[in-house]
Amino acid sequence: MRLTMYTDYSLRVLMYLGTKGPGELSTIQGISDAYGISKNHLMKVTHELGKMGYVETIRGRGGGVKLAVPPEEINIGAVVRQTEDDFNIVECFSSTANQCILSPICGLRGALNRALLAYLAVLDEYTLADFLINKDDLAALLSTGGL
């Protein structure tokens, strides 16, 4: 299974913000520079993460973005479910675009569905905090652009 770029960027924004101290503001430009990602993409991602309640954005001079909840309360499986368009890993998972003639009798669909559910169940076991145990090292890499 492959996550969309949108989900990837969402997780990266959360990781970046998770390396900051409680209440410490970051800029979208700073996140963009750290990852080498388009600022415009990150603006959209950050806005949506704000609507989901994961980040808080403060407008104006001296504004920025920060985590709205502690990393321990951000479940990775939930973030992935909220940021992915769909989980149609094969055509027959789509109720509107399925043209596969095998669908009515194919056993593969059930196995793939079980695999998808297992994938999501593993992600459900983790919070953002689980990936911040090396917070200082992550922050150092982000501040140098990975150099």
Side-chain angles (χ1 to χ4, degrees), residues 119-133:
Y119 174 84
L120 292 170
V122 169
L123 294 177
D124 286 339
E125 295 175 12
Y126 295 95
T127 68
L128 180 60
D130 293 318
F131 303 113
L132 297 174
I133 56 172

Side-chain angles (χ1 to χ4, degrees), residues 71-91:
E72 298 80 15
E73 295 179 21
I74 300 176
N75 181 272
I76 300 301
V79 172
V80 168
R81 283 181 182 83
Q82 289 177 291
T83 56
E84 280 296 302
D85 290 335
D86 62 55
F87 289 96
N88 296 338
I89 58 175
V90 288
E91 182 181 315

